[in-house]
């Protein structure tokens, strides 16, 4: 029998920690609980397969805890928080989080997200053949072996999710991807009603990093009412 995946849950609210513990244990997972970000960082080890972090916690908030944990391993991090502003979402994704659920969430949606994240191969484990290892978008080069985006002598720093979105769009030029197609291809999980907003936040962040935020997009085009494409 395969070993149960281990999930580290950090939330300073005891009732939420216990609710998550009961729900996730009933679903067949081993659960490790932390009451703040500092404890989460100390309790994290190589046996942890997924981390669920609240953002607003004492001693060390979820953003800082995520940054420290991702320095140790490329474990998926799910933020579970009451903070819903787009700037908060961007901050969480930049710290290395790969998904984001806003309280109040449904137990069904949380379990779907957890199971999908545990199925995803880690980015470092994905390999590309030496052939076709570079994708050219005007003056951008996507090196799929090194998983880098280069323009001239500059490397443009993208998060894992941002890189995967850009690569998806670049691989099928001129195809208009809907938010649903992007979400299911990149996150590798079922599309939810709030998933469109998650995709939009990442697209805007990619465009900002590429300096492509004006009305006349150079790389990533928003086709109103339909989706996104790279020509």
């Amino acid at each position: 029998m395969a070993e149960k995946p281990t999930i580290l849950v950090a939330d300073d609210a005891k009732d939420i920690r216990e609710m998550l513990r009961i729900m996730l244990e009933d679903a067949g997972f081993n659960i490790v609980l932390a009451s703040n970000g500092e404890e989460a960082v100390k309790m994290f080890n190589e046996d942890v397969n997924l981390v669920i972090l609240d953002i607003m916690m004492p001693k060390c908030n979820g953003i800082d805890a995520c940054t420290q944990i991702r320095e140790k391993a490329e474990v998926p991090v799910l933020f579970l928080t009451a903070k819903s502003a787009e700037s908060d979402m961007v901050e969480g994704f930049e710290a290395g989080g790969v998904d984001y659920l806003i309280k109040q969430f449904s137990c069904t949606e949380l379990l779907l997200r957890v199971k999908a994240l545990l199925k995803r191969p880690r980015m470092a484990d994905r390999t590309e053949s030496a052939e076709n290892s570079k994708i050219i978008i005007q003056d951008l080069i996507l090196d799929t072996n090194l998983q880098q985006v280069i323009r001239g002598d500059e490397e443009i720093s993208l998060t894992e999710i941002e890189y995967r979105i850009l690569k998806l769009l670049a691989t099928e030029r001129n195809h208009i991807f809907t938010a649903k197609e992007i979400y299911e291809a990149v996150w590798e999980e079922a599309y939810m009603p709030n998933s469109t907003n998650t995709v939009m936040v990442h697209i805007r962040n990619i465009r900002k990093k590429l300096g492509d935020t004006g009305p006349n997009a150079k790389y990533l085009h928003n086709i109103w009412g339909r989706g996104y494409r790279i020509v």
Side-chain angles (χ1 to χ4, degrees):
M1 182 180 295
E3 293 185 7
K4 294 180 180 180
T6 296
I7 301 174
L8 171 60
V9 175
D11 197 302
D12 60 328
K14 184 177 179 181
D15 56 338
I16 293 178
R17 288 200 308 273
E18 284 302 306
M19 181 269 292
L20 290 171
R21 180 188 64 78
I22 293 169
M23 178 177 60
L24 293 170
E25 284 183 346
D26 286 347
F29 303 111
N30 290 321
I31 305 303
V32 178
L33 295 179
S35 61
N36 57 60
E38 185 178 88
E39 281 187 9
V41 173
K42 289 179 180 178
M43 298 173 74
F44 178 80
N45 58 56
E46 62 183 10
D47 294 327
V48 174
N49 305 106
L50 172 67
V51 180
I52 298 177
L53 292 174
D54 184 24
I55 286 185
M56 296 181 287
M57 293 187 291
K59 296 186 179 180
C60 175
N61 64 41
I63 300 294
D64 292 339
C66 178
T67 300
Q68 293 179 57
I69 288 171
R70 289 302 299 269
E71 287 174 353
K72 298 179 179 181
E74 288 198 21
V75 63
V77 176
L78 168 64
F79 284 112
L80 190 66
T81 176
K83 301 185 74 174
S84 59
E86 181 176 312
S87 59
D88 298 321
M89 296 176 69
V90 169
E91 187 179 16
F93 294 137
E94 284 292 304
V98 295
D99 212 343
Y100 200 106
L101 263 183
I102 298 169
K103 302 173 183 177
Q104 300 287 335
F105 56 90
S106 75
C107 295
T108 300
E109 182 171 6
L110 177 64
L111 285 175
L112 285 172
R113 299 281 184 102
V114 165
K115 290 175 181 179
L117 289 172
L118 287 169
K119 288 178 182 178
R120 288 178 55 202
R122 295 182 181 180
M123 192 171 186
D125 296 334
R126 300 187 184 99
T127 59
E128 302 277 353
S129 65
E131 301 177 11
N132 304 319
S133 63
K134 289 183 172 61
I135 301 173
I136 310 298
I137 311 169
Q138 300 184 52
D139 56 347
L140 290 180
I141 299 175
L142 273 69
D143 189 320
T144 58
N145 279 338
L146 299 177
Q147 296 167 341
Q148 293 177 333
V149 179
I150 307 293
R151 180 168 51 203
D153 297 327
E154 172 195 13
E155 179 184 352
I156 298 171
S157 179
L158 300 182
T159 67
E160 173 186 346
I161 294 294
E162 291 165 357
Y163 171 82
R164 295 186 69 196
I165 291 173
L166 187 62
K167 181 184 172 187
L168 172 70
L169 298 178
T171 301
E172 294 191 52
R173 303 282 275 273
N174 291 308
H175 175 76
I176 299 174
F177 286 87
T178 65
K180 181 177 186 291
E181 288 175 323
I182 293 172
Y183 190 84
E184 292 184 343
V186 172
W187 276 263
E188 300 176 15
E189 61 183 77
Y191 177 83
M192 298 286 181
N194 63 352
S195 301
T196 294
N197 189 46
T198 299
V199 172
M200 289 172 59
V201 169
H202 281 86
I203 292 288
R204 281 198 286 266
N205 220 33
I206 293 169
R207 295 187 68 184
K208 182 178 178 181
K209 291 181 178 182
L210 297 179
D212 199 25
T213 57
N216 299 316
K218 182 178 180 181
Y219 309 110
L220 209 161
H221 298 260
N222 183 356
I223 311 302
W224 294 107
R226 299 177 64 188
Y228 307 91
R229 74 177 177 187
I230 290 176
V231 296

